[in-house]
Amino acid sequence: MEILLEQETEEDWWEVEQLLDTCFAPGREALSSYRLREGVDPVARLCLTARENGILAGAIRVWPVRVSGRTVALIGPVAVHPTRQGEGLGAMMIREVIDRAEVIGWQRMMLVGDAPYYSRFGFRKLEGVVMPPPTNPERVLGLGDWDGITGKVIRAAGAGVSPLRQERIS
């Protein structure tokens, strides 16, 4: 069977939200990363679903944030259904997002996660980049051109459009 990665649609929204509720603890929306997403459109071209035979197996979303006056793609949440974990779906979605982000012009990406896992995709600990508390600074990771970029990660209101246009990837 084959996993199909496609851009998330409006019709997928509730199903993806249910997957996120299944994969993460109740109260997930109280996390600081959700405060950065409030009132901000996601980067639609980088929000993907992973389906096999039409059944949702995983999802990944990406949101714009700002650091030191620059727009950055914040990857997350990344969710794989508990019955599908350990099959490489998370890695498949991360790689696809990185590839698509580079194609549409994102120069830097970041996420909050475990360095040993995400380092295989090129992510490294960001020195001097501060997520809202209570985020562990050791888990703030970046990929791309971060030279000279430090400071607080803030909401990017109105910055949901990627550096290039937001139409669907076909």
Side-chain angles (χ1 to χ4, degrees), residues 21 115 125:
D21 287 344
K125 182 180 181 294

Side-chain angles (χ1 to χ4, degrees), residues 3-6 48-52 55-59 89 93:
I3 296 292
L4 183 61
L5 291 180
E6 293 185 310
L48 307 176
T49 59
R51 292 183 181 276
E52 185 174 55
I55 298 170
L56 186 66
L89 294 176
M93 291 187 296

Side-chain angles (χ1 to χ4, degrees), residues 10-169:
E10 286 183 37
E11 292 77 29
D12 296 321
W13 193 84
W14 283 109
E15 192 175 10
V16 171
E17 285 295 307
Q18 179 63 47
L19 176 65
L20 296 174
D21 287 344
T22 299
C23 293
F24 300 105
R28 66 181 167 87
E29 293 179 352
L31 298 172
S32 59
S33 57
Y34 277 84
R35 299 297 71 80
L36 295 169
R37 300 172 185 146
E38 287 179 347
V40 179
D41 290 334
V43 182
R45 292 179 71 181
L46 302 180
C47 295
L48 307 176
T49 59
R51 292 183 181 276
E52 185 174 55
N53 294 327
I55 298 170
L56 186 66
I60 186 169
R61 288 180 171 162
V62 179
W63 305 83
V65 294
R66 306 233 349 129
V67 181
S68 191
R70 300 204 178 59
T71 304
V72 175
L74 174 63
I75 299 172
V78 181
V80 175
H81 193 278
T83 62
R84 302 302 302 266
Q85 291 178 2
E87 298 178 13
L89 294 176
M92 178 189 299
M93 291 187 296
I94 292 288
R95 285 188 184 100
E96 185 68 18
V97 163
I98 291 169
D99 291 346
R100 289 182 184 209
E102 290 173 352
V103 166
I104 63 173
W106 287 92
Q107 296 179 354
R108 57 197 65 79
M109 292 166 255
M110 68 177 297
L111 53 78
V112 177
D114 296 323
Y117 179 82
Y118 288 103
S119 64
R120 66 179 159 157
F121 308 108
F123 285 88
R124 60 180 169 75
K125 182 180 181 294
L126 291 174
E127 299 294 338
V129 173
V130 181
M131 282 286 288
T135 307
N136 178 345
E138 297 298 314
R139 295 174 50 83
V140 179
L141 311 175
L143 176 70
D145 181 12
W146 285 90
D147 290 342
I149 298 174
T150 59
K152 292 181 179 179
V153 180
I154 62 171
R155 283 178 66 248
V161 177
S162 64
L164 301 175
R165 297 179 309 173
Q166 272 269 20
E167 69 266 1
R168 292 178 58 85
I169 294 176

